[in-house]
Amino acid sequence: CLYGDPTQPGVIYVSEPGPFSWESFPSYMKLRLPLSEAGKVTSAEAMRENALVFGDSYAAILAGHPSAPVITTVGGGVGASSPACTASYGGMAFAFNGTLWAISEQGEAADFGAPVRPLLPSTANARLAVSSKLASLFVIDTSSGEALRFHFPTKTWTQEARNMVAITDRDGEAYIV
């Protein structure tokens, strides 16, 4: 688990189990992002054995042991506007800051939402969600309930009026909220 302290932009605390089954964020597990990555941490996403940390216009991959991580920065304005604007699926992370980004484990980023750019919601109303059952990434406009759906097997986008604010998988079924 990671914690970004809003009073110290660019500083991340890594958690460790506490003595009473709760997590603590000890000061010796404090990481400083490279100076090129400035601004508060807006979200973090697990990607297999790595972690991605996002700000509004930066992303950094943390690999290796938390006490001595290898930090790789992802350039080009890649970032996430809020915790609701990140998701991961099959070794890829997705982030939204006005542009929908796909980020590989190697730190390669691509403008994944280019085909549907005019349909993307504002950052204030956006939520990214993945359904493994439906093999899809959803970009949800929480104000209208409409969603853009990317179906991974067919690599196609569809616009869907589902009146949704979230989607989750449970016990092998997809549930729309």
Side-chain angles (χ1 to χ4, degrees), residues 81 85 96-98 119-127 140-143:
S81 297
C85 291
F96 183 67
N97 64 353
L119 304 173
L120 291 171
S122 71
T123 56
N125 298 323
R127 175 183 299 275
I140 303 165
D141 184 332
T142 57
S143 66

Side-chain angles (χ1 to χ4, degrees), residues 1-16 24-35 37-46 50-55 58-63 65-73:
C1 184
L2 300 172
Y3 168 69
D5 186 346
T7 65
Q8 295 182 334
V11 174
I12 303 163
Y13 292 89
V14 180
S15 69
E16 69 176 8
S24 64
F25 296 93
S27 60
Y28 62 85
M29 295 293 281
K30 178 170 58 172
L31 306 174
R32 291 195 181 280
L33 293 175
L35 289 177
E37 312 305 335
K40 70 177 186 168
V41 174
T42 58
S43 186
E45 191 71 35
N50 298 333
L52 268 78
V53 178
F54 296 96
Y58 73 84
I61 299 173
L62 307 179
H65 194 274
S67 64
V70 175
I71 301 173
T72 304
T73 60

